[in-house]
């Protein structure tokens, strides 16, 4: 069956450390992957998009990697801050598809 | 208006009642989407519209209907609400079907 999985357990890290979130998928052939941030009571906000022919994409303190062999994307936040605390969703757009498939998200807590 | 708006913010509804959730965007985006978000399940697509005048069924369309009479508006109707439709509903729009999505603030619906 087709699945997109993110760690359901919350990730707790200390301020200043690098947070790494994982997104794994099964039986999809993604044209690209996206990462969104969602704060409590709000809609998701787009952060980064990485295409299948890209290994890595960066934006300020954010970095995304995409490994089509491992069927995995990693999302990194360097020098994390308490304001980075949120739920992070990964989403993939499959080849030949018409809609984006979202993971359930991973909750990140950054402690001061 | 700036971006994408939804109304109402929240609603408590008796089972069997009809309800329309409103969504309006001012970005002239072609594609629009309705999702429901339930704890542990992530965002699930209910219906979508690739352009004004067309609509399609998503992953969980039963009990819901949509219309897309113009570019800006994409209302979601529950013809006869049931308790399992208790959820947070998000509307989203995108320039095209394979672009980043812009989400509204959500509608929290409780069906008793």
């Amino acid at each position: 069956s087709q699945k997109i999985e993110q760690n359901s357990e919350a990730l707790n890290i200390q301020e200043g450390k690098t947070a790494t979130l994982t997104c794994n998928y099964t039986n999809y052939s993604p044209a690209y992957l996206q990462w969104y941030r969602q704060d409590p009571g709000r809609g998701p906000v787009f952060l980064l998009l990485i295409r299948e022919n890209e290994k890595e994409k960066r934006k300020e303190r954010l970095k995304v990697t995409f490994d089509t062999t491992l069927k995995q994307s990693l999302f990194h936040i360097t020098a994390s801050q308490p304001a980075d605390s949120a739920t992070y969703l990964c989403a993939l757009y499959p080849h030949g598809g018409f809609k984006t498939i979202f993971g359930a998200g991973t909750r990140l807590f950054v402690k001061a | 208006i700036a971006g994408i708006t939804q109304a109402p913010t929240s609603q408590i509804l008796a089972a069997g009642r009809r309800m329309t959730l409103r969504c309006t965007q001012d970005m002239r985006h072609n594609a629009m989407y309705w999702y429901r978000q339930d704890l542990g399940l992530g965002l699930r697509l209910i219906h979508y519209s690739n352009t004004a005048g067309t609509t399609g069924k998503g992953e969980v369309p039963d009990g819901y209907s949509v219309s897309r009479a113009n570019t800006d508006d994409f209302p979601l109707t529950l013809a006869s609400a049931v308790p399992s439709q208790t959820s947070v509903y998000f509307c989203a729009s995108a320039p095209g079907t394979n672009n980043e999505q812009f989400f509204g603030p959500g509608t929290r619906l409780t069906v008793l």
Side-chain angles (χ1 to χ4, degrees):
Chain A
S1 63
Q2 294 177 312
K3 291 189 293 185
I4 178 168
E5 293 180 308
Q6 297 183 254
N7 195 338
S8 59
E9 291 184 16
L11 178 63
N12 291 281
I13 65 168
Q14 200 66 36
E15 182 177 11
K17 301 293 186 183
T18 296
T20 298
L21 287 73
T22 304
C23 177
N24 297 297
Y25 59 90
T26 307
N27 292 328
Y28 280 114
S29 178
Y32 59 81
L33 272 161
Q34 301 176 38
W35 284 87
Y36 290 78
R37 169 183 172 140
Q38 186 174 22
D39 292 287
R42 294 178 174 267
V45 175
F46 172 79
L47 295 174
L48 280 169
L49 180 152
I50 185 166
R51 301 188 184 281
E52 61 174 336
N53 60 349
E54 298 175 316
K55 295 293 186 186
E56 182 179 297
K57 191 69 92 55
R58 292 176 184 263
K59 179 183 177 183
E60 297 173 351
R61 294 185 295 111
L62 308 180
K63 184 179 82 172
V64 172
T65 62
F66 189 8
D67 189 325
T68 56
T69 301
L70 291 178
K71 299 187 186 303
Q72 181 180 79
S73 175
L74 299 178
F75 177 79
H76 306 272
I77 306 175
T78 58
S80 59
Q81 305 165 0
D84 295 325
S85 298
T87 296
Y88 291 86
L89 310 175
C90 76
L92 64 83
Y93 188 90
H95 280 289
F98 60 90
K99 61 185 175 78
T100 301
I101 316 297
F102 283 83
T106 297
R107 189 85 169 90
L108 172 67
F109 292 97
V110 181
K111 293 180 286 187
Chain B
I1 309 174
I4 184 165
T5 60
Q6 293 183 236
T9 301
S10 65
Q11 181 76 44
I12 299 174
L13 190 66
R17 297 297 296 269
R18 180 184 179 88
M19 176 74 190
T20 295
L21 307 185
R22 300 185 297 279
C23 175
T24 298
Q25 54 103 357
D26 65 355
M27 298 174 282
R28 307 303 293 172
H29 285 170
N30 284 320
M32 295 188 76
Y33 308 88
W34 273 106
Y35 295 91
R36 59 178 290 173
Q37 188 174 39
D38 303 288
L39 195 63
L41 293 179
L43 289 162
R44 291 185 291 167
L45 183 66
I46 304 170
H47 285 286
Y48 67 94
S49 169
N50 291 336
T51 188
T54 69
T55 63
K57 294 181 180 180
E59 182 184 357
V60 288
D62 294 343
Y64 306 94
S65 64
V66 293
S67 61
R68 187 88 184 278
N70 57 60
T71 297
D72 298 345
D73 301 299
F74 190 43
L76 175 75
T77 297
L78 289 67
S80 178
V82 294
S84 62
Q85 292 178 311
T86 294
S87 187
V88 180
Y89 291 86
F90 288 102
C91 179
S93 71
T97 57
N98 60 350
N99 297 104
E100 66 188 79
Q101 295 184 22
F102 295 79
F103 284 82
T107 294
R108 182 174 294 276
L109 181 67
T110 302
V111 183
L112 301 175

